[in-house]
Amino acid sequence: MREALSHPVYRKLLAAQVLSVFGSGLTTVALGLLAFELAGANAGAVLGIALALKMVAYVGLAPLATALAANLPRRPFLITLDLCRAALVLLLPFVTEIWQIYVLVFAFQAFSAAFTPTFQATIPDILTDERQYTQALSLSRLSYDLESLLSPMLAGLLLSLMSFHWLFAGTALGFLCSAALVRSVHLPQPRGGAVAAPFRKRLTRGAWIYLATPRLRGMLALYLAVAAGSAMVIVNTVVRVKDTLALGDAAVALHFAAYGLGSMVVALTLPRLLEKIAARQAMLAGGVMLALLMALAALGPSLNAGLLLWSALGAAAALVQTPSGLILRRSCAEPDRPAVFAAQFALSHACWLLAYPAAGLLGAALGLDATFAIMAAVAALSTAAARHLWPALDPEEIEHEHLAFAHEHAEGDADHHPAGTGPHHTHAPLRHKHRYVIDDHHPHWQHSA
């Protein structure tokens, strides 16, 4: 990871991400305790609704926020979002009604829905070398895995010294430090037509590019497989351990640690792996593994076998998720990155919005073994769909032919119309070869002509 970490701007942004992620982890623990304080035995239902609100905010608001912010300077925008999240977290210790939790959680996640894709789209503008960017994706995956392992331990240590209400203060401090780190660096600003385009076009542009690109449609299908597997882990681990195996809280923590450890191993080794095999191969292998591993989980494994399965599930999910930024960067022009990253953020979380309630409701109605079998089938079908949607022959550069056509770009889009012409201009027939992405000049996907 040394090459990515040698970049001073990226180092500060990674530190900002780590602080933000660990702050969110502390909030998760504190929110559970707050829900129990207000709702008692119904705390699980409260947290379930809060989790659903989080997904609704992510799915519905990420493209909207990205479209609204297209003309805003990135650095002040990200700083403002961090400050808003810190302020909202500081309000949580003072809530007295359950509905107040829902309002604050939705508002907090709305700001996160604006922050995360904007932040993610900034990294490839800073690390333009693909090797460094691959390392950055692995470091990002590691930060999330370390949070899942260390945040509960850090929260436990702090709770031995203070009330859980102070965890919210720790979260706010993390966001304030993140804002300070973002303020200390210069961030590149998106250019061209994606910024100058009308709001309605900016709102739908990311989804249009995403769904018109075969490899991205295939990647979305793989994310449904990941959602099926990770939803079973997140929703039903506690049921498997405490009900099926009749074990205690320590065994629950061991299962989650095993899942995170498997993901971390892949994050550490994937940069070198991707030098030898294509990202498509690695991601499809992850989808196949998810289906097979959940089929094995349907057999009701023992504690030790279950820990091995959970570790392998974490590795399989990371095989799909970690290279996704590479595929996104490859599949859009630089000015369109924020919109496409926002589309990925919204569409992938839509998969979790389906998978979370399915895992919980099916598990309660049919039992865990049957639910694992159903989710294994979902992962298998999703992976098969991905293999079909994402062609094995998928070159970056495609030779293709343009017929004569006239169109108009937004004012200020100097990237697309030639010097000496206005936004409205005509293109002569043309046959050429270049890196092919969906944009105003290439509204439909073409294979090599």
Side-chain angles (χ1 to χ4, degrees):
M1 310 295 177
R2 286 195 299 265
E3 292 180 37
L5 290 172
S6 67
H7 197 292
V9 174
Y10 174 69
R11 278 203 310 272
K12 291 185 177 181
L13 290 181
L14 178 63
Q17 180 186 23
V18 169
L19 287 168
S20 176
V21 165
F22 271 81
S24 297
L26 291 180
T27 298
T28 300
V29 175
L31 195 60
L33 296 171
L34 177 62
F36 188 81
E37 182 178 80
L38 295 178
N42 293 322
V46 172
L47 288 175
I49 294 172
L51 187 63
L53 288 172
K54 171 183 176 179
M55 292 300 145
V56 170
Y58 282 4
V59 172
L61 297 181
L64 177 63
T66 303
L68 288 170
N71 293 310
L72 300 178
R74 272 179 175 167
R75 188 173 68 167
F77 180 60
L78 292 173
I79 292 170
T80 301
L81 292 172
D82 263 340
L83 295 178
C84 289
R85 293 194 292 179
L88 285 171
V89 166
L90 287 175
L91 291 175
L92 280 168
F94 301 102
V95 305
T96 56
E97 302 289 341
I98 292 171
W99 67 265
Q100 294 169 349
I101 291 180
Y102 298 152
V103 171
L104 290 176
V105 166
F106 184 81
F108 176 86
Q109 301 300 347
F111 288 123
S112 294
F115 182 94
T116 304
T118 304
F119 185 92
Q120 291 173 338
T122 303
I123 303 303
D125 291 346
I126 294 167
L127 298 177
T128 55
D129 177 76
E130 185 165 306
R131 180 184 174 90
Q132 292 182 353
Y133 183 53
T134 304
Q135 295 173 5
L137 293 173
S138 291
L139 287 166
S140 178
R141 183 75 254 156
L142 275 174
S143 71
Y144 285 104
D145 293 332
L146 285 171
E147 181 274 319
S148 67
L149 290 173
L150 299 181
S151 281
M153 288 190 283
L154 178 59
L157 176 63
L158 293 174
L159 288 171
S160 68
L161 303 173
M162 61 187 71
S163 161
F164 76 83
H165 294 93
W166 286 100
L167 294 183
F168 294 118
T171 300
L173 181 61
F175 287 129
L176 292 175
C177 292
S178 171
L181 285 165
V182 173
R183 187 179 184 276
S184 69
V185 298
H186 171 74
L187 300 181
Q189 189 65 11
R191 303 178 295 106
V195 175
F199 171 77
R200 183 178 177 183
K201 185 175 181 179
R202 296 201 307 269
L203 180 62
T204 58
R205 188 173 183 85
W208 165 59
I209 294 171
Y210 194 105
L211 295 175
T213 305
R215 70 176 72 96
L216 295 184
R217 293 200 299 268
M219 188 169 77
L220 182 60
L222 285 170
Y223 262 83
L224 183 56
V226 171
S230 61
M232 288 301 294
V233 169
I234 293 167
V235 173
N236 286 320
T237 292
V238 66
V239 179
R240 165 182 152 75
V241 172
K242 303 194 77 170
D243 185 41
T244 306
L245 298 178
L247 298 172
D249 293 345
V252 175
L254 274 176
H255 277 73
F256 282 120
Y259 184 83
L261 184 62
S263 181
M264 287 173 62
V265 169
V266 168
L268 285 168
T269 57
L270 196 61
R272 288 191 176 182
L273 179 65
L274 291 178
E275 292 177 2
K276 299 176 182 177
I277 67 170
R280 178 182 182 271
Q281 290 177 268
M283 296 171 78
L284 286 174
V288 171
M289 285 175 61
L290 284 164
L292 292 176
L293 292 166
M294 283 193 286
L296 290 174
L299 301 177
S302 64
L303 172 62
N304 290 334
L307 289 173
L308 287 174
L309 275 177
W310 258 237
S311 179
L313 281 168
L319 270 176
V320 175
Q321 291 176 282
T322 307
S324 61
L326 282 173
I327 306 304
L328 291 170
R329 187 177 78 159
R330 178 184 169 189
S331 302
C332 61
E334 181 184 335
D336 291 320
R337 278 181 192 157
V340 174
F341 273 78
Q344 160 70 9
F345 189 77
L347 292 169
S348 62
H349 281 88
C351 296
W352 272 282
L353 186 59
L354 295 172
Y356 280 137
L361 294 173
L362 291 174
L366 304 176
L368 290 191
D369 292 349
T371 305
F372 266 114
I374 292 170
M375 290 302 201
V378 170
L381 290 172
S382 299
T383 303
R387 187 176 182 276
H388 173 72
L389 292 168
W390 187 347
L393 182 60
D394 185 28
E396 253 190 277
E397 294 189 349
I398 296 177
E399 186 176 353
H400 56 283
E401 188 170 351
H402 292 276
L403 300 176
F405 72 103
H407 69 145
E408 184 174 3
H409 290 291
E411 290 290 345
D413 183 3
D415 286 348
H416 288 99
H417 58 77
T421 68
H424 185 85
H425 58 284
T426 301
H427 293 269
L430 176 67
R431 182 184 180 90
H432 61 171
K433 182 178 182 179
H434 59 77
R435 188 172 76 91
Y436 196 93
V437 296
I438 297 295
D439 58 18
D440 292 327
H441 289 164
H442 310 85
H444 307 288
W445 194 260
Q446 294 189 34
H447 298 285
S448 296

